[in-house]
Amino acid sequence: MYSPVVGITMGDGAGVGPEIIMKALNDAGLYESRRPFVIGDAKLLERAAQVVSSTLKVRSIASPAEAKYEYGTVDCLDLNLLPADLPFGRVSAEAGHAAFMYLKKAIELANGGEIDAICTAPLNKEALHKGGHIYPGHTEILAELTGTKDYSMMLSAPKLKVIHVTTHVGIIDAVKQINPDRVYKVIRLAHETLKKAGYEAPRIAVCGINPHAGENGLFGYGEEEEKVIPGVQRAQQEGILASGPLPADTLFFRATRGDFDIVVAMYHDQGHGPIKVLGLEAGVNITVGLPIIRTSVDHGTAFDIAGKGIADEQSMKEALKQAIELAPKR
């Protein structure tokens, strides 16, 4: 069976990224169905190994083809951009620039067919901006460098997958931005992503905007009829198994029970809340719509604990697992 190659970008070297990578790759099971290697700075991974008391060795490589993918040795495509004594927990332009360059290299490898998925450790937005790269975060960099216009944030936990119509905007603006075309496109992104991952006929549930999905006009001002239903119907006409709009207060329970494969949330907190309740350590952030699967930890650089060796690696391990689950099957 083919084992997908996963490029792990190191993120901001002053944060917990190197530590959670070294902790996660200490799990021999991660090498059974995937071939992971790191894109970053080998000397900072070596420092992280000391911080977390790991016996793993770090091996510098020049391309994924040189990697051995053997448990006990972490292969690192070493860009050699940062000093070995980079201060922990401080915003710096050089670390922000380096984080951008790790991601850019990963995208180049993905576009060239050398890797099957990208898994990203966290970057710091302030450092990224100081480094001369003015983006809100990973997602926008990935979209621009791959020429992607239609994309969405998907969150995944062991029993629940959620994709968002809107994300980082206020609730009033979110309702304004929801429209039938966007609802249809997000449903289609969910369908295509799960189809590529091996789901024969993905079952997609679509949330309503108002309580009880409007309850036939009892709540709201007809937003479901105007903004959601036409998008759902368009997807259904194409043979997509989309249901909704459905009341969000019961829908997420039904999804975790197994009634649906993925939920389409209308706004940030509607989708993020249920995932967070299932456990911060279990959540994975996924960008869908790109020509490459990208997963990420669902937390930040944690500058306050960087260098202390106490950062939890579970989200990184889950991100690596999800990268394989969702990577297109060869």
Side-chain angles (χ1 to χ4, degrees):
M1 185 175 69
Y2 178 76
S3 297
V5 178
V6 183
I8 307 169
T9 57
M10 200 179 74
D12 193 301
V16 297
E19 296 171 50
I20 59 174
I21 289 171
M22 296 304 290
K23 280 187 171 184
L25 295 181
N26 199 42
D27 182 348
L30 289 176
Y31 286 82
E32 293 177 0
S33 59
R34 59 191 66 76
R35 292 181 284 171
F37 74 99
V38 182
I39 303 167
D41 270 59
K43 53 186 171 293
L44 289 187
L45 291 178
E46 291 170 348
R47 181 175 71 165
Q50 294 177 349
V51 168
V52 301
S53 300
S54 172
T55 58
L56 298 179
K57 305 299 181 185
V58 178
R59 176 174 172 266
S60 294
I61 59 174
S63 73
E66 295 181 9
K68 293 184 177 180
Y69 306 112
E70 297 175 347
Y71 172 69
T73 300
V74 176
D75 296 302
C76 177
L77 201 162
D78 189 4
L79 299 193
N80 193 28
L81 296 174
L82 296 173
D85 60 351
L86 180 75
F88 288 112
R90 293 186 190 175
V91 173
S92 76
E94 58 184 344
H97 173 67
F100 175 86
M101 296 304 294
Y102 304 149
L103 185 60
K104 182 180 178 184
K105 182 64 176 179
I107 293 169
E108 291 172 358
L109 294 172
N111 287 339
E114 295 184 71
I115 61 177
D116 299 293
I118 298 171
C119 182
T120 59
L123 54 72
N124 181 279
K125 293 174 184 177
E126 184 181 353
L128 182 70
H129 293 180
K130 284 190 173 183
H133 307 287
I134 313 301
Y135 296 89
H138 274 115
T139 301
E140 292 75 15
I141 298 172
L142 284 152
E144 181 173 308
L145 295 187
T146 59
T148 302
K149 293 183 179 179
D150 291 326
Y151 57 90
S152 181
M153 174 189 292
M154 183 168 115
L155 298 180
S156 179
K159 291 185 178 181
L160 180 65
K161 288 180 172 59
V162 181
I163 190 169
H164 293 69
V165 173
T166 67
T167 48
H168 294 110
V169 293
I171 188 66
I172 294 175
D173 291 327
V175 174
K176 289 179 181 178
Q177 290 181 17
I178 297 167
N179 61 69
D181 186 57
R182 175 61 181 168
V183 169
Y184 161 76
K185 286 179 178 177
V186 172
I187 293 172
R188 184 154 193 86
L189 283 173
H191 175 78
E192 292 174 350
T193 299
L194 295 190
K195 284 281 287 185
K196 289 177 182 177
Y199 290 71
E200 185 175 341
R203 299 164 301 163
I204 303 168
V206 182
C207 288
I209 299 172
N210 294 297
H212 301 270
E215 202 164 303
N216 298 316
L218 182 62
F219 302 108
Y221 299 92
E223 287 86 359
E224 278 75 19
E225 289 76 12
E226 175 191 347
K227 295 170 173 288
V228 181
I229 291 175
V232 175
Q233 291 176 337
R234 181 178 171 187
Q236 291 171 337
Q237 289 167 3
E238 295 182 5
I240 295 174
L241 298 181
S243 303
L246 299 170
D249 59 353
T250 55
L251 174 51
F252 289 98
F253 165 75
R254 294 180 61 193
T256 59
R257 187 175 64 184
D259 293 0
F260 303 103
D261 298 309
I262 190 167
V263 174
V264 176
M266 291 295 116
Y267 50 89
H268 182 282
D269 285 11
Q270 187 181 60
H272 278 60
I275 290 285
K276 304 288 186 183
V277 167
L278 292 175
L280 292 175
E281 74 285 349
V284 176
N285 187 324
I286 303 161
T287 308
V288 298
L290 303 171
I292 181 76
I293 283 295
R294 173 260 174 167
T295 67
S296 175
V297 295
D298 194 24
H299 61 73
T301 49
F303 277 173
D304 57 323
I305 61 170
K308 297 180 180 179
I310 60 175
D312 192 309
E313 75 277 15
Q314 291 306 310
S315 186
M316 173 58 73
K317 291 170 72 170
E318 286 296 328
L320 284 165
K321 292 175 183 177
Q322 289 290 327
I324 300 313
E325 179 182 335
L326 294 171
K329 302 300 181 282
R330 296 197 186 190

